[in-house]
Amino acid sequence: MPRAGLSTAAVVDAALDLIDDRGLNALTLAAVAERTGVAAPSLYKHVGSLAQLRTLMAVRIMEELTERSTSALVGRSGDDAVAALMRTYRRYAVDHPARHAAMPPDPLHDPALASAGTRLLEIFLAVLRGYGLEGEAAIHATRCLRAIVHGFASIEAAGGFGLPEDLDTTHEQLIHMFTASLPRTSS
Amino acid sequence: MPRAGLSTAAVVDAALDLIDDRGLNALTLAAVAERTGVAAPSLYKHVGSLAQLRTLMAVRIMEELTERSTSALVGRSGDDAVAALMRTYRRYAVDHPARHAAMPPDPLHDPALASAGTRLLEIFLAVLRGYGLEGEAAIHATRCLRAIVHGFASIEAAGGFGLPEDLDTTHEQLIHMFTASLPRTSS
DNA sequence: CTTTGTGGCTATGTGGATTAGCCCAGCCGT
DNA sequence: ACGGCTGGGCTAATCCACATAGCCACAAAG
């Protein structure tokens, strides 16, 4: 019996591919095992449990989203940056609905997720920093942005909006609504 | 062996109590059976499957939310009505986080949920009707409202915001952000 | 008092997570 | 080249949950 040459990262990769293909609730150790070509118990040599696999996947996803967001934000600031961040987040959720659904809503509660979650949150904070928001005001604005972005992406990714056609318009309207609520720094 | 006098409604009641007590992922037929005082297979005399129980629960929850919202809206219109709707939705999610989490994001996809989902959606539409929004504009505004309300409630109910103290302030800010984006009808 | 339908039961099968324990492949030092 | 050690793979087995089958008793209708 030749070795499969598996690793924790490879298992996470396979799990992410799996949910991309067949949806989040198709995530099962048996399915991951089949996809990696090993028997189900063998996976325990690489991940501690299904729950841990889920956290590892969430870390990966948040890192991926962080990376895309930072890329989208280079050279932008103000309303332009906010819009880019919102569009990037939305596109990610539409392109990878299962991955978006696999992100926990409370990453900071799990020590294993706190680091990746903080990095993602700091992007939101950074974008708003350009508006002169400090301390508490920055927190409120970040929460608002997070709620909007998460809410829209969740519903859209789940197919929860009736007509798919002019969702772009709705999203642009949402972007405008949020940016309009931010303080204008100068002329 | 005396009969337990169960009914479909009683099973749904027990299931809702169960998730209120122990969270949504504690929902299991065995646990519902224990709570109703019957053996697990007996539940199949009243519900077709665990999936069907979930839909029945979702219908109940949406009806309950619809009722609370209509109550909160009597005698209100305009920004006042929007604020009342948003506060009612938020309070429901905070008071019953598991029930909120049990609501599917795409109720209109399931014929069994479509009716209750439509009734809830129509409340959103009705509140915005006072702004003179018609057709497509009303759809966009409804979607925005839905995304905001769902996003905030989901994150808060899951404990996803760091500090719980001034969430009221954040929510009031969100209400203001949304109402400010609506057209002013007169004066 | 009987009939009948319904709501309850036990027994059983399937699938998934997880644990225990074995065993060989490959590297390392000799 | 060889012998051992580590680690990654395996099978077997347990536990738990959903689900189905089929029996049986209660109680309401007649």
Side-chain angles (χ1 to χ4, degrees), chain A residues 76-91:
Chain A
R76 298 180 193 270
S77 69
D79 292 356
D80 193 27
V82 170
L85 178 58
M86 291 177 73
R87 293 195 190 105
T88 301
Y89 193 101
R90 179 192 173 209
R91 174 172 302 278

PDB file of all heavy atoms in Angstrom, chain A residues 76-91:
ATOM      1  N   ARG A  76      -6.351  52.935  -3.340  1.00  0.00           N
ATOM      2  CA  ARG A  76      -7.683  53.532  -3.196  1.00  0.00           C
ATOM      3  C   ARG A  76      -7.847  54.105  -1.794  1.00  0.00           C
ATOM      4  O   ARG A  76      -7.235  53.639  -0.842  1.00  0.00           O
ATOM      5  CB  ARG A  76      -8.773  52.493  -3.411  1.00  0.00           C
ATOM      6  CG  ARG A  76      -8.780  51.873  -4.797  1.00  0.00           C
ATOM      7  CD  ARG A  76      -9.902  50.857  -4.892  1.00  0.00           C
ATOM      8  NE  ARG A  76      -9.777  50.017  -6.076  1.00  0.00           N
ATOM      9  CZ  ARG A  76     -10.333  50.336  -7.252  1.00  0.00           C
ATOM     10  NH1 ARG A  76     -11.020  51.442  -7.379  1.00  0.00           N
ATOM     11  NH2 ARG A  76     -10.190  49.524  -8.287  1.00  0.00           N
ATOM     12  N   SER A  77      -8.742  55.066  -1.693  1.00  0.00           N
ATOM     13  CA  SER A  77      -9.069  55.597  -0.380  1.00  0.00           C
ATOM     14  C   SER A  77     -10.452  56.213  -0.431  1.00  0.00           C
ATOM     15  O   SER A  77     -11.027  56.390  -1.507  1.00  0.00           O
ATOM     16  CB  SER A  77      -8.044  56.649   0.049  1.00  0.00           C
ATOM     17  OG  SER A  77      -8.193  57.800  -0.758  1.00  0.00           O
ATOM     18  N   GLY A  78     -10.989  56.507   0.720  1.00  0.00           N
ATOM     19  CA  GLY A  78     -12.298  57.150   0.800  1.00  0.00           C
ATOM     20  C   GLY A  78     -13.405  56.283   0.215  1.00  0.00           C
ATOM     21  O   GLY A  78     -13.365  55.051   0.297  1.00  0.00           O
ATOM     22  N   ASP A  79     -14.385  56.930  -0.378  1.00  0.00           N
ATOM     23  CA  ASP A  79     -15.530  56.219  -0.932  1.00  0.00           C
ATOM     24  C   ASP A  79     -15.106  55.146  -1.924  1.00  0.00           C
ATOM     25  O   ASP A  79     -15.722  54.077  -2.006  1.00  0.00           O
ATOM     26  CB  ASP A  79     -16.473  57.199  -1.629  1.00  0.00           C
ATOM     27  CG  ASP A  79     -17.159  58.137  -0.643  1.00  0.00           C
ATOM     28  OD1 ASP A  79     -16.944  57.968   0.576  1.00  0.00           O
ATOM     29  OD2 ASP A  79     -17.904  59.028  -1.089  1.00  0.00           O
ATOM     30  N   ASP A  80     -14.069  55.448  -2.641  1.00  0.00           N
ATOM     31  CA  ASP A  80     -13.567  54.493  -3.617  1.00  0.00           C
ATOM     32  C   ASP A  80     -13.130  53.206  -2.940  1.00  0.00           C
ATOM     33  O   ASP A  80     -13.436  52.100  -3.402  1.00  0.00           O
ATOM     34  CB  ASP A  80     -12.381  55.151  -4.353  1.00  0.00           C
ATOM     35  CG  ASP A  80     -11.986  54.371  -5.588  1.00  0.00           C
ATOM     36  OD1 ASP A  80     -12.863  53.686  -6.155  1.00  0.00           O
ATOM     37  OD2 ASP A  80     -10.813  54.454  -5.975  1.00  0.00           O
ATOM     38  N   ALA A  81     -12.435  53.339  -1.828  1.00  0.00           N
ATOM     39  CA  ALA A  81     -11.965  52.165  -1.102  1.00  0.00           C
ATOM     40  C   ALA A  81     -13.136  51.407  -0.493  1.00  0.00           C
ATOM     41  O   ALA A  81     -13.193  50.168  -0.547  1.00  0.00           O
ATOM     42  CB  ALA A  81     -10.983  52.590  -0.003  1.00  0.00           C
ATOM     43  N   VAL A  82     -14.073  52.131   0.084  1.00  0.00           N
ATOM     44  CA  VAL A  82     -15.236  51.461   0.676  1.00  0.00           C
ATOM     45  C   VAL A  82     -15.972  50.663  -0.383  1.00  0.00           C
ATOM     46  O   VAL A  82     -16.315  49.484  -0.185  1.00  0.00           O
ATOM     47  CB  VAL A  82     -16.177  52.490   1.321  1.00  0.00           C
ATOM     48  CG1 VAL A  82     -17.486  51.828   1.725  1.00  0.00           C
ATOM     49  CG2 VAL A  82     -15.521  53.136   2.533  1.00  0.00           C
ATOM     50  N   ALA A  83     -16.186  51.286  -1.530  1.00  0.00           N
ATOM     51  CA  ALA A  83     -16.899  50.588  -2.597  1.00  0.00           C
ATOM     52  C   ALA A  83     -16.124  49.362  -3.053  1.00  0.00           C
ATOM     53  O   ALA A  83     -16.699  48.287  -3.265  1.00  0.00           O
ATOM     54  CB  ALA A  83     -17.131  51.537  -3.770  1.00  0.00           C
ATOM     55  N   ALA A  84     -14.815  49.495  -3.178  1.00  0.00           N
ATOM     56  CA  ALA A  84     -14.010  48.352  -3.626  1.00  0.00           C
ATOM     57  C   ALA A  84     -14.085  47.216  -2.618  1.00  0.00           C
ATOM     58  O   ALA A  84     -14.215  46.044  -2.985  1.00  0.00           O
ATOM     59  CB  ALA A  84     -12.561  48.786  -3.829  1.00  0.00           C
ATOM     60  N   LEU A  85     -14.028  47.560  -1.346  1.00  0.00           N
ATOM     61  CA  LEU A  85     -14.103  46.529  -0.318  1.00  0.00           C
ATOM     62  C   LEU A  85     -15.449  45.817  -0.365  1.00  0.00           C
ATOM     63  O   LEU A  85     -15.524  44.588  -0.324  1.00  0.00           O
ATOM     64  CB  LEU A  85     -13.883  47.153   1.061  1.00  0.00           C
ATOM     65  CG  LEU A  85     -13.990  46.203   2.259  1.00  0.00           C
ATOM     66  CD1 LEU A  85     -12.986  45.058   2.126  1.00  0.00           C
ATOM     67  CD2 LEU A  85     -13.746  46.950   3.572  1.00  0.00           C
ATOM     68  N   MET A  86     -16.503  46.585  -0.484  1.00  0.00           N
ATOM     69  CA  MET A  86     -17.828  45.978  -0.511  1.00  0.00           C
ATOM     70  C   MET A  86     -18.012  45.097  -1.750  1.00  0.00           C
ATOM     71  O   MET A  86     -18.573  44.004  -1.675  1.00  0.00           O
ATOM     72  CB  MET A  86     -18.909  47.070  -0.454  1.00  0.00           C
ATOM     73  CG  MET A  86     -18.962  47.770   0.900  1.00  0.00           C
ATOM     74  SD  MET A  86     -20.173  49.129   0.969  1.00  0.00           S
ATOM     75  CE  MET A  86     -21.721  48.220   1.007  1.00  0.00           C
ATOM     76  N   ARG A  87     -17.504  45.566  -2.871  1.00  0.00           N
ATOM     77  CA  ARG A  87     -17.654  44.764  -4.096  1.00  0.00           C
ATOM     78  C   ARG A  87     -16.816  43.498  -4.023  1.00  0.00           C
ATOM     79  O   ARG A  87     -17.236  42.443  -4.487  1.00  0.00           O
ATOM     80  CB  ARG A  87     -17.234  45.594  -5.314  1.00  0.00           C
ATOM     81  CG  ARG A  87     -18.164  46.769  -5.585  1.00  0.00           C
ATOM     82  CD  ARG A  87     -17.948  47.357  -6.981  1.00  0.00           C
ATOM     83  NE  ARG A  87     -18.687  48.619  -7.102  1.00  0.00           N
ATOM     84  CZ  ARG A  87     -18.134  49.824  -7.075  1.00  0.00           C
ATOM     85  NH1 ARG A  87     -16.806  49.942  -6.926  1.00  0.00           N
ATOM     86  NH2 ARG A  87     -18.875  50.903  -7.190  1.00  0.00           N
ATOM     87  N   THR A  88     -15.637  43.618  -3.439  1.00  0.00           N
ATOM     88  CA  THR A  88     -14.789  42.434  -3.323  1.00  0.00           C
ATOM     89  C   THR A  88     -15.447  41.381  -2.431  1.00  0.00           C
ATOM     90  O   THR A  88     -15.483  40.199  -2.768  1.00  0.00           O
ATOM     91  CB  THR A  88     -13.419  42.824  -2.729  1.00  0.00           C
ATOM     92  OG1 THR A  88     -12.808  43.778  -3.575  1.00  0.00           O
ATOM     93  CG2 THR A  88     -12.528  41.605  -2.589  1.00  0.00           C
ATOM     94  N   TYR A  89     -15.957  41.856  -1.319  1.00  0.00           N
ATOM     95  CA  TYR A  89     -16.614  40.928  -0.398  1.00  0.00           C
ATOM     96  C   TYR A  89     -17.789  40.251  -1.094  1.00  0.00           C
ATOM     97  O   TYR A  89     -17.968  39.039  -1.017  1.00  0.00           O
ATOM     98  CB  TYR A  89     -17.093  41.691   0.833  1.00  0.00           C
ATOM     99  CG  TYR A  89     -17.518  40.811   1.993  1.00  0.00           C
ATOM    100  CD1 TYR A  89     -16.680  40.600   3.072  1.00  0.00           C
ATOM    101  CD2 TYR A  89     -18.770  40.197   2.010  1.00  0.00           C
ATOM    102  CE1 TYR A  89     -17.064  39.802   4.131  1.00  0.00           C
ATOM    103  CE2 TYR A  89     -19.159  39.401   3.060  1.00  0.00           C
ATOM    104  CZ  TYR A  89     -18.303  39.210   4.128  1.00  0.00           C
ATOM    105  OH  TYR A  89     -18.690  38.421   5.175  1.00  0.00           O
ATOM    106  N   ARG A  90     -18.569  41.049  -1.780  1.00  0.00           N
ATOM    107  CA  ARG A  90     -19.744  40.485  -2.459  1.00  0.00           C
ATOM    108  C   ARG A  90     -19.324  39.470  -3.521  1.00  0.00           C
ATOM    109  O   ARG A  90     -19.887  38.388  -3.620  1.00  0.00           O
ATOM    110  CB  ARG A  90     -20.552  41.598  -3.124  1.00  0.00           C
ATOM    111  CG  ARG A  90     -21.753  41.032  -3.847  1.00  0.00           C
ATOM    112  CD  ARG A  90     -22.407  42.055  -4.754  1.00  0.00           C
ATOM    113  NE  ARG A  90     -23.446  41.402  -5.540  1.00  0.00           N
ATOM    114  CZ  ARG A  90     -23.813  41.789  -6.734  1.00  0.00           C
ATOM    115  NH1 ARG A  90     -23.246  42.824  -7.313  1.00  0.00           N
ATOM    116  NH2 ARG A  90     -24.760  41.129  -7.371  1.00  0.00           N
ATOM    117  N   ARG A  91     -18.342  39.822  -4.302  1.00  0.00           N
ATOM    118  CA  ARG A  91     -17.922  38.918  -5.359  1.00  0.00           C
ATOM    119  C   ARG A  91     -17.426  37.598  -4.769  1.00  0.00           C
ATOM    120  O   ARG A  91     -17.710  36.516  -5.293  1.00  0.00           O
ATOM    121  CB  ARG A  91     -16.817  39.552  -6.211  1.00  0.00           C
ATOM    122  CG  ARG A  91     -16.237  38.596  -7.249  1.00  0.00           C
ATOM    123  CD  ARG A  91     -15.302  39.313  -8.188  1.00  0.00           C
ATOM    124  NE  ARG A  91     -15.966  40.400  -8.861  1.00  0.00           N
ATOM    125  CZ  ARG A  91     -16.725  40.245  -9.948  1.00  0.00           C
ATOM    126  NH1 ARG A  91     -16.899  39.043 -10.460  1.00  0.00           N
ATOM    127  NH2 ARG A  91     -17.303  41.291 -10.493  1.00  0.00           N
TER     128      ARG A  91
END
